Amino acid sequence: MSDVRVDTWGACVDFPIFDAKTRSLKKSVLGAAGGVIGANASNVVVVEALKDIDLHLQHGDRVGLVGHNGAGKSTLLRVLSGIYEPTRGSCRVQGRVAPVFDLGVGMDPEISGYENIVIRGMFLGMSRKEMLRKTDEIAEFTELGDYLNMPLRTYSTGMRVRVALGVVTSIDPEILILDEGIGAVDAEFMKKARVRLQELVKRSGILVFASHSNEFLAQLCDRALWIDHGQVRMDGGIEEVVGAYEGPDAAKHVRTVLDEIAAEQTGTPVVPGSRPVTEADG
Ligand SMILES: Nc1ncnc2c1ncn2[C@@H]1O[C@H](COP(=O)(O)OP(=O)(O)OP(=O)(O)O)[C@@H](O)[C@H]1O
């Protein structure tokens, strides 16, 4: 597990759009959302989703990706998961990847919650035997009781998310690739899920997590990359990067969450807005 690694060297991803009208496009467009739109040598329109990404992650790295809509976060996660090959440059991943892009992927509406637990776990790289061992514990976490014997199609959206979250947080990944979409459950359940997510991250070798929730980023990651029009604009601590991307209020929110986590770990209560008195205070 300690030799897990993720490396990219100058990785670029271009999406050719064969049915776009070249004539109506300016040479290279930089909008508020989306990657740069350009044209390749054959005059085919391309979206430059990622450009020259150099990323080197090792065991223990917990990296959050922030950036505008269409910045390239999901594309980068797909490159790291081996779903996309870089158009130029390269990517090498050492270790077993568990990609969690959509909580519902791999779930079958016609089979029971119990059966879905096993299937979804296998989809994430676990063996059938391992999943059967974990089923009772996952069932208890979901609090769905007898519903777990009924077909998944009879569940509400939130009930499905409970099953999916239960499974996702039960696996033992070497490299965990998480893409948002984990907020569709009620607040009380989310509190419970958060603890499990934190435990999951702790036992993962590497985490890469794309999210628009600074709270989640602060809870799960200790480093952030700001992706801007397909490029890494900044690489640093969560507070610093969120501050640069979204401003001082967002950075303050991150600081509060980090203080809460530190206090939970040391057992010290947090006084809102408090900070140690320094010499500068006079
Ligand atoms: N399959 C595809 N075909 C064409 N263009 C694509 C495809 N997937 C992504 N893109 C483009 O690549 C760019 C990056 O998209 P990506 O989904 O990686 O952004 P993102 O940072 O995850 O955005 P969001 O925060 O909105 O989810 C966008 O301009 C998008 O239009």
Side-chain angles (χ1 to χ4, degrees), residues 66 214 217 224 234 237-248 250-251 254:
V66 303
N214 293 332
L217 285 165
M234 190 174 176
I238 301 276
E239 189 180 354
E240 180 194 5
V241 172
V242 166
Y245 169 53
E246 273 187 58
V254 167

Side-chain angles (χ1 to χ4, degrees), residues 198 218-220 256-266 270:
Q198 282 168 330
Q219 280 166 344
L220 301 181
T256 310
V257 176
L258 293 175
D259 286 346
E260 278 166 10
I261 295 169
E264 262 167 38
Q265 278 161 2
T266 57
V270 195

Side-chain angles (χ1 to χ4, degrees), residues 15 17 34-35 47-49 67-76 84 212:
F15 290 108
I17 317 288
V47 172
E48 294 175 13
H68 60 84
N69 285 136
K73 304 178 294 294
S74 304
T75 305
L76 179 55
Y84 293 156
H212 291 284

Side-chain angles (χ1 to χ4, degrees), residues 16-44:
I17 317 288
F18 294 102
D19 51 355
K21 306 248 182 316
T22 343
R23 259 182 304 136
S24 57
L25 289 168
K26 300 205 179 73
K27 182 78 186 108
S28 200
V29 185
L30 201 66
V36 178
I37 302 173
N40 67 13
S42 325
N43 215 23
V44 170

Side-chain angles (χ1 to χ4, degrees), residues 191-210:
K191 236 194 272 168
K192 214 169 98 168
R194 198 159 288 181
V195 175
R196 268 176 81 98
L197 266 173
Q198 282 168 330
E199 284 163 1
L200 166 72
V201 167
K202 261 190 230 154
R203 59 174 194 274
S204 312
I206 292 175
L207 166 74
V208 187
F209 176 37

Side-chain angles (χ1 to χ4, degrees), residues 141-201:
F141 167 74
T142 65
E143 297 171 4
L144 290 174
D146 287 341
Y147 273 102
L148 289 170
N149 287 307
M150 302 216 257
L152 205 77
R153 71 180 139 76
T154 64
Y155 294 21
S156 72
T157 310
M159 288 161 77
R160 285 174 207 215
V161 175
R162 282 178 180 230
V163 176
L165 262 179
V167 179
V168 164
T169 54
S170 77
I171 61 170
D172 306 302
E174 289 184 333
I175 299 168
L176 179 63
I177 308 279
L178 266 185
D179 200 358
E180 296 227 275
I182 40 182
V185 280
D186 55 67
E188 196 50 40
F189 189 76
M190 202 61 230
K191 236 194 272 168
K192 214 169 98 168
R194 198 159 288 181
V195 175
R196 268 176 81 98
L197 266 173
Q198 282 168 330
E199 284 163 1
L200 166 72
V201 167

